[in-house]
Amino acid sequence: MVISKNMENLVANSSVIRRLFEEGVELAAVVGKENVYDYSLGNPSVPPPKVVKKAIYEILESRDDNFIHGYMNNSGYEEVRDAVAQSLNDRFDTDFVRESIIMTAGAAGALNCILRTLLNYKDEVICFAPFFGEYRSYISNFGGETIVVPADTKDFQLNLDVLDDYINEKTKAMIINNPNNPSGAVYSAETLDRLQKLLEAAEKRIGHPIYVISDEPYRELVYDGVTVPFMTKHIKNCLVCYSFSKSLSLPGERIGYLAIPKQIDAYEEMQAALVVANRCLGYINAPSLFQLVAKECLYEETDVKAYNENRLLLYNSLTQMGFECVKPQGAFYLFMKSPVPDESQFVKEAKKHNLILVSATTFGCPGYVRLAYCVSNDMIRRSLPAFSALAKSYGMKGEYSV
């Protein structure tokens, strides 16, 4: 074997979601695309707002080509970082400045910058189940180990009752995704305030800071008047990772930022190291054109109407059939309990009905499956008879009304 042991493990455990998506494509070639109901991939179905295209044209017409396409500070364009800092301050009453902001290749780029900066070999990073499975790969990239706190399946808030049992001297960080992929839960201000108190006690016990990495690509995708607390208002040692992938429907453009509040321990040391990490990870700086595009869209409101219609249609229909589901407060995922303990068997049974669902074992929460409802409303409606037949195969009533 010529590849590294670390890479060998990553390949063996490569994205289950991507594999399912590919299976859906293969199935479509057999039964027809219109007869496959693929809920695997979190690819936004809502088109980017019109202001995005307008900004692209105006930037290309009005700016010097060498400026648009050339190198800049590894942290990103100064004018863009100023604008991002100001937008955060306007919306969340924070005090970010230009130096607090690093433009990154999406939230994933920001996460990898932080982990590259923080982790020594065998350091531990806590993830609260359920969590985005790629976190394991990011942590492994830098020799770290993922420590999973089991889910609180009562309400899918952070399971703080057992957290202290998972913290020790090797604990360097924890990753929190709010709103959460895959559960759709939004962690409340009360939950975060309680977390901060637990962290203060733990930091005294172990003798060093524990940094909370707040992964926030779904920040604007919330429903029913729910508010997402801004993490730095509740957690002292918090670094914020943001992506425009979901709010502006630009996942392929790989544009986001890292926000570093001045309140964190070792702010200046961390800020300098994160800038270097942004460069040495290999992508040098965030995509230049879309830094400038993002600047023009910072105050654009995300249209969640289509996602909300999908959310209610899917949740109401599946619960009527007899499935047990977590009603999402945010993001665009529905978390459903498998009717049998081994959800991988349920996923296989669903595939017989041309339904592509994702096993939640990959999210650290066996016994559940995830459905990405960032799809067309028509596909959801066409899939309901298949879900009904699936429900009946497990002895549920399977009836629904739309």
Side-chain angles (χ1 to χ4, degrees), residues 6 10 26 62 66 118 168 173 202 212 242 282 330 337 339 360 397:
N6 178 269
L10 290 176
E26 293 169 3
S62 64
N66 289 335
L118 286 177
N168 58 56
V212 175
Y242 185 78
K337 189 172 183 178
K397 61 182 180 180

Side-chain angles (χ1 to χ4, degrees), residues 81 84-85 87-89 91-92 94-104 106-107 110-111 113-114 211-214 216 219 230-232 236-243 256-264 267 270-271 274:
R81 292 154 57 213
V84 169
S87 72
L88 291 173
N89 297 342
R91 288 182 292 155
F92 303 115
T94 49
D95 60 354
F96 291 106
V97 294
R98 175 193 299 174
E99 291 72 24
S100 306
I101 306 299
I102 301 173
M103 302 305 295
T104 61
L111 277 157
C113 281
I114 296 169
Y211 289 91
V212 175
I213 305 169
S214 184
E216 303 184 4
R219 185 195 294 153
F230 195 69
M231 193 74 78
T232 67
K236 176 180 180 289
N237 285 315
C238 179
L239 300 157
V240 176
C241 303
Y242 185 78
S243 169
Y257 61 79
L258 166 58
I260 316 159
K262 294 180 181 179
Q263 70 199 25
I264 67 169
Y267 167 78
M270 285 285 290
Q271 192 273 345
L274 287 164

Side-chain angles (χ1 to χ4, degrees), residues 334-389:
L334 183 72
F335 214 42
M336 183 165 72
K337 189 172 183 178
S338 169
V340 291
D342 182 358
E343 85 281 0
S344 66
Q345 293 301 316
F346 179 53
V347 169
K348 289 179 181 177
E349 190 65 28
K351 191 176 176 183
K352 294 177 183 177
H353 299 270
N354 299 339
L355 293 160
I356 308 298
L357 315 180
V358 178
S359 163
T361 293
T362 189
F363 301 108
C365 195
Y368 287 80
V369 296
R370 189 195 78 170
L371 291 75
Y373 56 82
C374 48
V375 296
S376 72
N377 191 266
D378 176 65
M379 193 203 87
I380 295 176
R381 291 179 183 275
R382 287 187 289 106
S383 74
L384 294 180
F387 275 115
S388 177

